[in-house]
Amino acid sequence: MYAQMVTSEASNEDPEKLAAFQARIDAGEKIEPKDWMPEGYRKTLIRQIGQHAHSEIVGQLPEGNWITRAPTLERKAILLAKVQDEAGHGLYLYCAAETLGVSRDELTEALLAGKMKYSSIFNYPTLNWADIGAVGWLVDGAAIMNQVPLQRTSFGPYSRAMIRICKEESFHQRQGYDIMMKMAQGTPEQKAMAQDALNRFWYPSLMMFGPSDRDSVHSAQSMAWKIKINTNDELRQKFVDQTVPQAEYLGLTIPDPDLKWNEEKGGYDFSEPDWSEFFEVIKGNGPCNAERMEARQKAWDDGAWFRDGLMAHAKKRAAARVAAE
Amino acid sequence: MSSEWPLWEIFIRGQHGLNHRHVGSLHAPDAALAIKHARDVYTRRNEGVSIWVVPSDAITASSPSDKGPLFEPSNAKVYRHPTFFDIPDEVGKM
């Protein structure tokens, strides 16, 4: 999802401590930063929460692209508020990761060095205003699928961050769907734009859940630790089942000729996305990977003097206060 | 290497008459900016009427391993709860 293919770390610690830890998780207790935890739990969580945080921050870029070109002042103000929320979500999550003993700068530097990832979805371009609708409706919709169960995750600070995020996320999906409704009910050209946006974002959205993890050892460990609650396939199925009727209401067609209601399983059968494309994007070869990383690097470099300047000013002021006492 | 902005713990009073409550943390160079950042990060939807910011390193926390010695003594004193005492119905509301 926003954290895709997070590999979990094995723990070689005292089996008794590990068992006691697992018992706490099984009993539904929350693990807090100062509690004992296996190194693997800590490292896996840093990777997962960090990747989630980076996704929120990088996710501002495709939408920020349309702030200055929003069709009305109201839509512009709404999009601004949404992009500001994404920044907030990134900050909640960075703080949760920091309680595990990693610094904010270390996380940022790991992203810029390519050692940490962000969600594959943000490497696709937003070519026109309909894409902003599709991103809110599909991308935020897929994110909600994953984030709602994560409110019950075992690590306290992560769980609390997810609760805050989920409260705000529903606005994002609705504003996207609102854009899609407007365009789908508009001129034939506008409707065609909405269909085109759905065509381009459908499979990348399905990829957000990551490849099937039926046989993944990492997933099994993460699920035992309750830092992953559902399998990728379960969430993907749920997303498709929820989204198809929404597309029908819009009068748009899901770009999958094999999409069919399956009475027996009570859900839709659908085509898998092209996983070779997914792995290329993850490797850095998606349409916008280079552009996204350039933008993050530039923001980091251009902001350095400002971060340092404010810090120097704060130190000077503090020193003057001490001298005056 | 430049130094990272220090961490602040943020407390928000949700409504008049309620306590300030811990909502999370953030980085800021000083207290004044910590309040401005807290406004942006934690009160985008009218969540507060007042903000406290405290440097994280100024907080002393009890250790999880002290849970027993700290809290068990109160566990044993059930008579501190009014329901410990049986008052006959005839006495009326007490």
Side-chain angles (χ1 to χ4, degrees):
Chain A
M1 167 48 49
Y2 273 20
Q4 292 158 325
M5 303 186 69
V6 176
T7 48
S8 65
E9 301 258 345
S11 285
N12 304 312
E13 279 142 324
D14 180 3
E16 226 167 85
K17 273 183 156 178
L18 284 174
F21 179 79
Q22 189 61 50
R24 289 191 62 195
I25 289 185
D26 293 343
E29 272 183 49
K30 295 281 184 236
I31 308 301
E32 295 296 338
K34 291 179 89 183
D35 295 346
W36 183 86
M37 60 185 81
E39 259 322 283
Y41 179 84
R42 180 189 303 277
K43 284 189 183 152
T44 307
L45 266 178
I46 289 176
R47 206 172 289 156
Q48 178 172 330
I49 302 174
Q51 188 175 322
H52 196 157
H54 294 324
S55 299
E56 300 282 356
I57 299 299
V58 176
Q60 294 180 99
L61 296 168
E63 293 186 294
N65 183 32
W66 280 88
I67 290 175
T68 55
R69 291 173 286 173
T72 67
L73 194 53
E74 189 189 36
R75 296 234 180 246
K76 180 177 180 165
I78 292 170
L79 184 57
L80 258 176
K82 180 187 188 258
V83 172
Q84 193 192 14
D85 270 357
E86 306 297 1
H89 296 178
L91 296 182
Y92 306 154
L93 288 161
Y94 280 130
C95 281
E98 286 177 82
T99 65
L100 291 159
V102 64
S103 79
R104 178 77 55 93
D105 284 3
E106 280 167 358
L107 289 169
T108 307
E109 277 154 12
L111 171 71
L112 296 178
K115 288 182 201 148
M116 283 183 91
K117 303 268 180 228
Y118 55 89
S119 175
S120 57
I121 191 70
F122 301 118
N123 292 310
Y124 290 86
T126 44
L127 303 177
N128 57 51
W129 180 251
D131 288 7
I132 298 304
V135 166
W137 172 36
L138 300 172
V139 175
D140 289 284
I144 290 171
M145 281 291 150
N146 182 54
Q147 289 170 341
V148 166
L150 276 177
Q151 293 178 102
R152 291 182 282 116
T153 189
S154 61
F155 187 54
Y158 192 24
S159 157
R160 292 190 285 274
M162 291 320 312
I163 290 169
R164 289 192 76 87
I165 289 174
C166 285
K167 269 191 199 156
E168 300 176 348
E169 199 78 64
S170 163
F171 146 56
H172 297 179
Q173 193 187 13
R174 282 163 171 242
Q175 69 87 34
Y177 197 70
D178 184 65
I179 293 173
M180 293 306 275
M181 281 197 296
K182 192 84 184 166
M183 297 204 67
Q185 292 158 4
T187 63
E189 288 83 359
Q190 285 171 323
K191 190 169 179 185
M193 278 172 77
Q195 180 63 54
D196 170 61
L198 170 58
N199 292 350
R200 281 180 292 108
F201 276 94
W202 176 252
Y203 286 106
S205 299
L206 294 188
M207 291 177 201
M208 286 177 67
F209 299 95
S212 178
D213 51 5
R214 258 181 302 253
D215 310 313
S216 162
V217 192
H218 297 303
S219 282
Q221 176 62 80
S222 288
M223 287 179 91
W225 278 336
K226 288 193 193 156
I227 55 185
K228 186 180 172 89
I229 311 288
N230 303 92
T231 67
N232 296 348
D233 290 323
E234 279 166 10
L235 292 170
R236 191 170 12 250
Q237 180 70 52
K238 246 178 119 175
F239 173 73
V240 171
D241 293 344
Q242 180 191 281
T243 309
V244 170
Q246 296 167 351
E248 281 168 359
Y249 179 84
L250 294 171
L252 301 180
T253 311
I254 302 277
D256 178 359
D258 296 325
L259 184 88
K260 209 172 83 234
W261 178 255
N262 180 332
E263 191 63 52
E264 207 175 308
K265 76 171 177 186
Y268 286 91
D269 290 331
F270 56 93
S271 304
E272 291 273 313
D274 175 0
W275 290 113
S276 61
E277 177 183 319
F278 171 78
F279 287 111
E280 279 304 306
V281 174
I282 286 278
K283 263 193 277 174
N285 303 324
C288 298
N289 294 61
E291 196 184 323
R292 302 294 185 236
M293 288 307 283
E294 255 173 53
R296 290 312 304 146
Q297 185 71 55
K298 185 174 184 313
W300 183 242
D301 294 343
D302 290 357
W305 70 271
F306 181 74
R307 294 191 299 274
D308 291 347
L310 285 178
M311 203 59 234
H313 176 70
K315 280 185 179 149
K316 213 169 126 186
R317 289 266 304 262
R321 248 197 327 274
V322 170
E325 272 166 14
Chain B
M1 179 66 214
S2 50
S3 61
E4 205 169 347
W5 287 355
L7 195 65
W8 301 76
E9 299 303 320
I10 312 302
F11 300 79
I12 308 262
R13 186 198 296 284
Q15 294 170 37
H16 291 289
L18 294 185
N19 289 322
H20 282 77
R21 237 181 108 178
H22 183 244
V23 291
S25 48
L26 53 75
H27 290 272
D30 58 27
L33 273 167
I35 288 184
K36 288 206 166 76
H37 289 178
R39 195 275 311 258
D40 291 341
V41 178
Y42 292 108
T43 67
R44 288 193 304 282
R45 284 172 178 77
N46 246 341
E47 288 97 335
V49 294
S50 162
I51 300 173
W52 286 351
V53 300
V54 179
S56 300
D57 58 15
I59 290 182
T60 309
S62 65
S63 144
S65 59
D66 288 342
K67 219 164 103 185
L70 280 177
F71 305 117
E72 259 160 33
S74 101
N75 245 346
K77 297 177 178 60
V78 283
Y79 44 80
R80 281 181 171 159
H81 296 279
T83 47
F84 176 78
F85 304 95
D86 282 326
I87 302 292
D89 287 345
E90 302 91 289
V91 178
K93 203 170 151 55
M94 184 178 282

